[in-house]
Amino acid sequence: MFIDSAKITIKAGDGGAGKVAFHREKFIASGGPDGGDGGRGGNIVFQVDDNLSTLADFRYKRKYVAQNGEDGKGGRCYGKKGEDLVIKVPRGTLLKDAKTGRLVADMSGDEPQVIARGGRGGWGNIHFATATRQTPRFAKPGMPGETMELVLELKLLADVGLVGYPNVGKSTLVSVVSEAKPTIANYHFTTITPVLGVVRMGEGQSFVIADIPGLIEGAGEGAGLGHQFLRHVERCRMLVHIVDVSGSEGRDPKQDFQTINAELKKFNPELAEKPMLVAGNKCDLATDEQIENFKSFVEKQGYEFFPIMAAIRYQVDPLLKRILELLSKLPPVKRFDPEPVPLTPAETTNRHEVKVTNRDGVFVVEGEWLVQVINSVNFDDYESLQYFQRVLINTGVIDALREAGIQEGDTVNIYDIEFDFME
């Protein structure tokens, strides 16, 4: 089954906690703190794998978590870094933030991309030793790893995209000019997944051609299979529009041509600007008058026309040579630039933002950053409590409590840690 979109959740590893430890050695009194730092959490890394062609693997596994960093140890030993989690995707996969739609990365190159970074390891108590605090009995926990919900969208990388109504001969053309073997039959939507083929024109000359499933009227709004696969046309350097010039199925070739072009423009206006050649297939079923009439119609709109019979490869080579000539002048396959993370205006940013609520005489303090601080404090140690008090003063928590109307002796609650307020 061809799966070209998926939604997954990724989480980088958390940093390991710092260690509270003291040096113990014979004949050495008061060895001092020697707790090591925690290890950094593993990153989430995406890597292109050319052996993959769909996103089917992500249909069954949707959560990817990297390894956490190890906690620090005594003897100034640092915790081991968590291993990176490498996620392999097909070439041409776009990674988008599911919440904002922001493009995070375009996996078209060979270089791996770090999408979510692991958390830093927490400091051991060796970092908190000072001249006046020689036995710190607290350390810092590790920082959490980045978490993100991603939408994976596969856009195949091809030089040439074949577009047109169903059953006009797109798959037949791919089968005779390349080694690809798409399903071919005399009914609509024989091709239900894109097929890539490599066309070799001689020493060092080749290009990739993509057979896009047939489009119908309304494809831009999702009719038929078109909307599902039109995204694969976006990367193509140029298009070849295949038309049944004989009208063998009772449709007007001119109307078919206009309808498909309109659907491409409706889906993405940039598609209408791509260079396009027009191939009139099934010429053996058409009269000379029909062919000349359609050729005149196409050339008046500025397109080059090539009459072909794909099934017997009649006049296919001139089309291929013209494609190769145009490709030599066109820019490479389109790659999308990642979008930067939107910046929050400085005046609205406060990394120590707190919310104080008076609940029946108890002043409840809330702030995400406070959780990290509380986890680092040893409330049974006097010096650690002094450190906690300085943090509350320096970050504005005490001022926020005063603004909320707190009085001496009132109870303060910070994430289930309660104490009496003292001036």
Side-chain angles (χ1 to χ4, degrees), residues 35-71:
D37 298 348
R40 173 180 281 275
N43 300 323
I44 298 287
V45 181
F46 279 77
Q47 173 75 58
V48 167
D49 185 348
D50 288 323
N51 292 319
L52 298 176
S53 58
T54 77
L55 300 174
D57 292 346
F58 301 98
R59 189 180 184 190
Y60 306 104
K61 184 178 179 181
R62 299 187 178 181
K63 187 170 184 179
Y64 295 82
V65 181
Q67 187 179 36
N68 294 335
E70 287 188 355
D71 294 343

Side-chain angles (χ1 to χ4, degrees), residues 159 205 207 237-238 275 277 304 321-333:
D159 297 300
Q205 293 184 317
F207 57 86
R237 299 165 67 190
M238 63 173 292
L277 300 179
E304 294 183 60
K321 289 178 182 178
R322 182 56 178 153
I323 291 173
L324 190 64
E325 182 181 338
L326 289 176
L327 289 176
S328 66
K329 304 174 184 177
L330 293 175
V333 175

